[in-house]
Amino acid sequence: MTQAQISRIVAGILLAGASAGIAHGESSDALLKKLVEKGILTTKEADELESESKNEVKKDWVRGAGLPDWVTSMKLYGDFRGRFEQNNSENSAYYTRDRFRYRLRLGLTTTLLDNFELGFRVASGNPQTNPGGVLVGGQPITANQDLNSLESRKFLWIDAAYAKWTAIKNDTWTVSGTVGKMDNPFQLSNMIWDYDIVPEGAALQTVYNVNEKHALKLNAAAFVLDELNQGDPSPGGPAVSPSHDPYLFGGQALFESKWTPDFDTSVGVAAFTIDHKESLSSKVQPFYNAGNTRDANGFLANNFNPIIGSASATYKFGAIPIYPGKFPVKIGGEVMENPAADNNNEAWRVGFTLGKAGRKGAWELNYRYQHLEADAWFDALVDDDNGAYYAAGNPQLAGSGKASGWFGGTNVKGHQVVATYSITDFMNFTFIYYNNELIINTPGQTSEASHFMGELNWRF
């Protein structure tokens, strides 16, 4: 037996003893650091021992909980966010709206033998009804819960429920498939997908590591938009064929490169299509956003087959006095065109990010300008916080079932500023500000509107 093997065995025994005596995270980290400083272990050996020790602790916990042998680990996680929010408009017909809101999320991820993963998450959220007044769940594009209704008890909803299998995982390939209600597999901005949307269906994700510096990622998915059963479920709504449920199909290719430890880039292309858009009506489904052109029955006037291009570059500069560690700067943008619509079918955004929040004392500042035309993409899926004021008579409201008001969605252009400061490793303060106006607006009416949010977020 070599000296290195003896040292590793002794270190393992010491590590196990220390972990049994006091909190695992504190004891193992401190002990391994001392062993490395004294030259008993190399840094690589210490990292391997720490990983093995943590895996053993996980296995002991699973066994102690009485779970079957095929369960290898379980992870509990969550967050709580408190927010003050204000919507206002330059149009005197709109009254400023102030709200206090919270978001609560709690999830559990379970890993099984043979690279299987099961997960679920519950989240808060205001209830949503369809146009017929039937409760259909929580709002799809936000988990925010308003403080209202005389201190009424609030709802918790199923926010995610999925099964995932990683069929291949090695240094070159990673291939995994997911079914259920899952976090969005596509890496796109909220000009395309509101970040709070948790789509339902099936997804396939593949990563091919070309070499140490370059990787090709391929994402594909099929999502269910609605299940109509025997036709229109809304009393008095337009008739809908029961055999034509609407679905969304999409794919994305990303080429990511890490040219140096301080410089990386990403370029990508994505495409989506909505099958049976004739089954989507604002008089049937409870759409939260606005913007798309619709007919008198609320049906979409255009198909959606958008093509999206994206690119970004990040460079880490040397340390600066007001930021801990290297200072990252990121620039990027997206362009989109929907060839299925004859006009009002384009969108683009460009912006930059300074810094990166997430650890104590770090901060992040983000700015972007966005131009999202009415029929560039399905309005029900885009950022609901990015909105402006609609006055009565706007042509984009025809058939939408919506009166005048402040709405997020498409047909909006303007600015967004987001500033985040990490007070601790687990708590952030964030300031968000939108200033927008409508692209197609009622003649003689002011559509300019602002949206302000200040929030504290704790995570675990």
Side-chain angles (χ1 to χ4, degrees):
M1 184 177 292
T2 66
Q3 181 65 37
Q5 289 173 322
I6 294 173
S7 298
R8 184 179 173 87
I9 291 171
V10 172
I13 293 172
L14 291 172
L15 181 63
S19 298
I22 56 177
H24 174 265
E26 297 175 1
S27 61
S28 63
D29 290 347
L31 178 59
L32 287 171
K33 184 178 179 180
K34 287 291 184 183
L35 294 173
V36 171
E37 290 175 353
K38 293 181 178 296
I40 298 174
L41 293 176
T42 66
T43 301
K44 181 179 179 182
E45 288 171 335
D47 291 341
E48 291 173 351
L49 271 172
E50 183 179 17
S51 178
E52 291 171 6
S53 176
K54 288 180 178 179
N55 287 336
E56 284 302 315
V57 171
K58 289 180 180 179
K59 290 177 182 178
D60 290 342
W61 184 89
V62 169
R63 286 192 290 266
L67 297 170
D69 293 340
W70 57 81
V71 177
T72 59
S73 69
M74 301 184 76
K75 177 185 177 182
L76 183 69
Y77 66 95
D79 62 62
F80 174 83
R81 182 179 70 195
R83 170 186 285 179
F84 169 75
E85 181 172 351
Q86 182 184 95
N87 298 77
N88 57 61
S89 173
E90 295 297 318
N91 195 308
S92 60
Y94 182 77
Y95 296 97
T96 298
R97 183 183 190 187
D98 293 338
R99 282 185 288 180
F100 291 92
R101 317 179 83 183
Y102 72 84
R103 183 189 69 186
L104 172 66
R105 299 186 296 189
L106 181 65
L108 181 69
T109 302
T110 303
T111 56
L112 311 178
L113 293 175
D114 301 321
N115 297 319
F116 284 94
E117 176 182 307
L118 303 177
F120 82 89
R121 184 173 63 239
V122 294
S124 58
N126 291 327
Q128 179 158 293
T129 59
N130 66 17
V134 177
L135 179 66
V136 294
Q139 291 179 353
I141 49 182
T142 179
N144 286 319
Q145 169 64 59
D146 294 343
L147 304 186
N148 59 11
S149 300
L150 297 175
E151 297 84 35
S152 61
R153 305 294 182 191
K154 309 303 182 185
F155 293 92
L156 280 178
W157 314 95
I158 295 176
D159 189 47
Y162 68 88
K164 180 179 180 179
W165 179 40
T166 302
I168 302 173
K169 187 174 180 59
N170 54 50
D171 292 340
T172 304
W173 287 94
T174 301
V175 179
S176 61
T178 307
V179 295
K181 187 171 181 62
M182 71 196 78
D183 290 331
N184 202 320
F186 297 109
Q187 294 177 231
L188 293 164
S189 77
N190 57 6
M191 183 176 78
I192 318 299
W193 289 93
D194 188 293
Y195 295 141
D196 286 325
I197 287 179
V198 185
E200 304 169 343
L204 178 67
Q205 295 180 279
T206 300
V207 178
Y208 171 61
N209 294 311
V210 180
N211 52 43
E212 292 181 352
K213 293 185 176 181
H214 306 288
L216 176 65
K217 295 182 177 180
L218 301 173
N219 302 319
F223 296 141
V224 178
L225 295 179
D226 202 359
E227 196 275 312
L228 299 173
N229 192 14
Q230 301 302 309
D232 172 27
S234 302
V240 178
S241 171
S243 63
H244 289 169
D245 294 333
Y247 294 89
L248 185 149
F249 302 94
Q252 180 184 34
L254 283 168
F255 191 74
E256 298 181 343
S257 301
K258 192 170 187 62
W259 303 97
T260 73
D262 295 325
F263 179 59
D264 58 76
T265 60
S266 175
V267 293
V269 62
F272 296 95
T273 185
I274 292 180
D275 193 30
H276 297 303
K277 63 92 178 175
E278 70 274 8
S279 296
L280 294 169
S281 167
S282 59
K283 295 184 179 180
V284 176
Q285 286 89 11
F287 297 135
Y288 192 69
N289 286 334
N292 290 158
T293 305
R294 300 176 182 273
D295 65 18
N297 282 318
F299 290 106
L300 296 167
N302 296 291
N303 288 315
F304 292 101
N305 303 302
I307 300 170
I308 303 139
S310 61
S312 67
T314 304
Y315 186 80
K316 295 178 182 177
F317 291 88
I320 62 175
I322 59 174
Y323 186 87
K326 291 186 175 181
F327 185 62
V329 175
K330 180 180 180 180
I331 58 172
E334 285 176 326
V335 294
M336 175 169 59
E337 182 176 354
N338 175 28
D342 294 331
N343 48 52
N344 302 316
N345 63 344
E346 297 178 348
W348 56 273
R349 72 184 266 151
V350 62
F352 63 85
T353 302
L354 306 178
K356 184 173 179 60
R359 66 185 190 280
K360 183 177 179 179
W363 53 268
E364 185 173 322
L365 177 65
N366 175 274
Y367 168 81
R368 68 102 180 108
Y369 183 85
Q370 180 172 296
H371 179 98
L372 178 57
E373 294 180 354
D375 295 309
W377 183 223
F378 186 28
D379 60 16
L381 301 179
V382 307
D383 183 9
D384 68 309
D385 294 315
N386 186 62
Y389 180 73
Y390 283 85
N394 190 293
Q396 297 305 121
L397 288 174
S400 70
K402 296 181 183 294
S404 62
W406 196 107
F407 295 110
T410 62
N411 189 38
V412 174
K413 62 181 179 180
H415 311 267
Q416 181 196 35
V417 177
V418 181
T420 300
Y421 178 74
S422 295
I423 301 171
T424 70
D425 289 344
F426 57 84
M427 180 172 66
N428 293 335
F429 172 76
T430 301
F431 165 91
I432 306 168
Y433 179 73
Y434 293 85
N435 185 267
N436 294 314
E437 60 182 331
L438 296 175
I439 298 172
I440 300 176
N441 187 32
T442 304
Q445 291 285 343
T446 298
S447 65
E448 184 179 352
S450 298
H451 190 185
F452 162 79
M453 290 167 277
E455 59 189 38
L456 279 169
N457 186 75
W458 294 261
R459 65 182 186 274
F460 62 90

